[in-house]
């Protein structure tokens, strides 16, 4: 596990008490592209899937804002892309 | 005009505005490209603004909406979401409804 992935996992686990969470490093999909590394190594593009009761009754934009705020240090350190799939416990998910 | 005023002006004077990397004809980022595809599929008129053209714009749009990533879609002056939110709304049929409710013509069959 990379250090950014660990930072994301630790931060969100502690703050959002997720029912389920996946942190996926998609950097290899962006090798040689803008913001990626030439060979797709490293942690430039991350995707977070997370189910938490803290999202119950919360709108989409606000859910993202909650996560963005928590992960601001990671973004400020230069993470190029952060894709988010936050779900409430009542939402249907396909992962 | 300050950058914030420029952005505010664009957002308030266009029905649908997409701040993106690249242009609708030539997106330079996969996430921006996904939103372009969805908007084109729905058949709504929109204005694409390339944030890569200006570093101040690229940073300014993040401050304007307090949203750290690009693309960003605005409908009738209101921030709707980035790539993930737009895709989720589209898949749930909510984006079409959102456009229609806002008085934006959706030209494609839903």
């Amino acid at each position: 596990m990379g250090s950014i992935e660990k930072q994301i996992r630790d931060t969100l686990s502690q703050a959002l008490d997720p029912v389920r969470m996946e942190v996926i490093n998609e950097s290899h999909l962006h090798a040689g592209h803008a913001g990626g590394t030439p060979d797709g190594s490293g942690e430039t593009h991350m995707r977070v899937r997370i189910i938490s009761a803290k999202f119950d009754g919360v709108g989409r934009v606000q859910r993202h804002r909650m996560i963005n705020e928590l992960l601001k240090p990671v973004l400020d350190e230069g993470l190029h892309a952060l894709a988010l799939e936050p779900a409430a416990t009542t939402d249907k998910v396909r992962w | 005009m300050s950058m914030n005023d420029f952005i505010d002006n664009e957002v308030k004077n266009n029905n649908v505005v997409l701040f993106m990397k690249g242009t609708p004809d030539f997106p330079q980022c996969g996430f921006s490209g996904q939103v372009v595809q969805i908007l084109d599929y729905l058949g709504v008129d929109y204005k694409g603004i390339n944030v890569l053209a200006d570093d101040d714009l690229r940073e300014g749009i993040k401050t304007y909406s307090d949203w750290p990533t690009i693309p960003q879609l605005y409908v009738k002056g209101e921030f709707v979401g980035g790539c993930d939110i737009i895709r989720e709304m589209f898949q749930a049929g909510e984006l079409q409804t959102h456009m229609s409710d806002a008085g934006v013509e959706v030209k494609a069959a839903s």
Side-chain angles (χ1 to χ4, degrees), chain B residues 11 46 51 60-61 63 71 77 80 94-95 98 100 103 109:
Chain B
V11 164
Y46 65 98
V51 303
I61 191 63
T63 311
V80 180
E94 291 171 25
L95 189 61
H98 187 92
S100 303

Side-chain angles (χ1 to χ4, degrees), chain A residues 5-92:
Chain A
E5 178 181 339
K6 183 172 188 320
Q7 199 177 343
I8 292 173
R9 281 186 184 283
D10 291 351
T11 304
L12 298 185
S13 296
Q14 192 178 2
L16 298 175
D17 190 23
V19 177
R20 225 144 53 79
M21 176 167 65
E22 285 183 4
V23 180
I24 305 159
N25 183 351
E26 297 186 332
S27 305
H28 63 284
L29 300 174
H30 303 269
H33 296 181
T37 51
D39 62 356
S41 65
E43 296 176 292
T44 56
H45 294 68
M46 305 297 287
R47 174 175 298 276
V48 175
R49 294 170 166 159
I50 180 168
I51 304 173
S52 167
K54 298 215 188 303
F55 298 134
D56 292 2
V58 176
R60 284 197 173 89
V61 169
Q62 189 54 34
R63 290 179 193 180
H64 281 240
R65 284 199 199 283
M66 289 163 66
I67 298 175
N68 287 334
E69 183 61 33
L70 290 164
L71 297 182
K72 190 168 187 306
V74 185
L75 285 159
D76 286 346
E77 280 164 30
L79 178 64
H80 180 72
L82 178 63
L84 301 178
E85 298 179 29
T89 54
T90 49
D91 289 342
K92 276 191 285 186

